[in-house]
Amino acid sequence: NNQPDVSSYVTGFVPAQIAQLNYLDSRLRLFEVASVLVIMALVAFAFRSLLAPLVVVGVAAVGYLVYFPLLSSFAAAWGFAVPAQLEPVLVALLLGVVTDYCVLLFSAFRDELCGGLDRKEAAHAALRVNARIIAWAGLTVAGGTIALLAAPFHAFRGLGPALALTVLVGLAVCLTLAPAVSAHTSRRAMRP
């Protein structure tokens, strides 16, 4: 600072992390809202319904309300910490898992409705056909993320259980709440 013709900058891991966090925080809400709107638009287009994306976002919201208190309890019980700046990653994963599995279930549900089944039978048939596929997919992803416990960096070790729990909660709400809601919304949400 005592030589005006010499430029100096703060460098290093911690200042870079702080600058990155500030940059992400300033734009995070915009990207969260944009992501949800894109998901809703795609689901609405796929099912030609305005109710289907609301169901997906509603199921994800229930997963969110269940997930974070559960994560806090598990983190305290098992002694791992999840940095606050990773919350957007966890929310994005939860929303992605719920959207993926709901679209699979809703598509099968719509096919069963087109096949002539009533709404309860269609929901049961869609779940019977896809529950095993969804469960194995979710358990595979959860198993892969829990493997981060073996990572040499402490931050990754804390992230492993958080990511695995995210997928398991998303899996649980999709296999329980999504079929029930689809059976009640029926053809209004799933246009053939």
Side-chain angles (χ1 to χ4, degrees):
N1 287 337
N2 61 358
Q3 298 177 11
D5 57 332
V6 176
S7 299
S8 62
Y9 300 94
V10 176
T11 62
F13 180 72
V14 173
Q17 208 173 23
I18 291 169
Q20 181 182 23
L21 183 61
N22 291 339
Y23 180 82
L24 290 174
D25 278 347
S26 69
R27 291 161 177 82
L28 189 59
R29 293 294 168 223
L30 172 67
F31 285 110
E32 286 176 342
V33 170
S35 297
V36 170
L37 290 176
V38 167
I39 287 170
M40 290 180 73
L42 290 173
V43 173
F45 179 76
F47 291 100
R48 288 163 182 66
S49 165
L50 295 178
L51 190 56
L54 294 177
V55 172
V56 170
V57 171
V59 170
V62 169
Y64 178 84
L65 293 173
V66 168
Y67 172 70
F68 280 100
L70 195 60
L71 178 63
S72 298
S73 299
F74 278 130
W78 291 347
F80 66 88
V82 180
Q85 62 262 36
L86 292 178
E87 183 179 327
V89 173
L90 300 175
V91 171
L93 179 61
L94 181 65
L95 184 59
V97 164
V98 167
T99 302
D100 187 31
Y101 298 159
C102 280
V103 166
L104 185 62
L105 278 172
F106 293 168
S107 180
F109 176 69
R110 180 177 60 185
D111 291 345
E112 297 296 339
L113 285 174
C114 289
L117 294 179
D118 77 346
R119 60 188 172 94
K120 289 182 182 178
E121 290 172 345
H124 183 59
L127 191 59
R128 184 177 55 247
V129 169
N130 290 296
R132 195 172 308 142
I133 296 166
I134 292 170
W136 278 113
L139 292 173
T140 301
V141 173
T145 56
I146 198 74
L148 286 171
L149 284 171
F153 299 111
H154 183 68
F156 289 145
R157 279 182 287 200
L159 188 58
L163 292 173
L165 184 62
T166 304
V167 173
L168 293 175
V169 168
L171 179 64
V173 295
C174 283
L175 290 179
T176 56
L177 185 58
V181 172
S182 64
H184 289 291
T185 57
S186 186
R187 291 188 185 274
R188 290 174 297 215
M190 317 299 159
R191 295 215 173 153

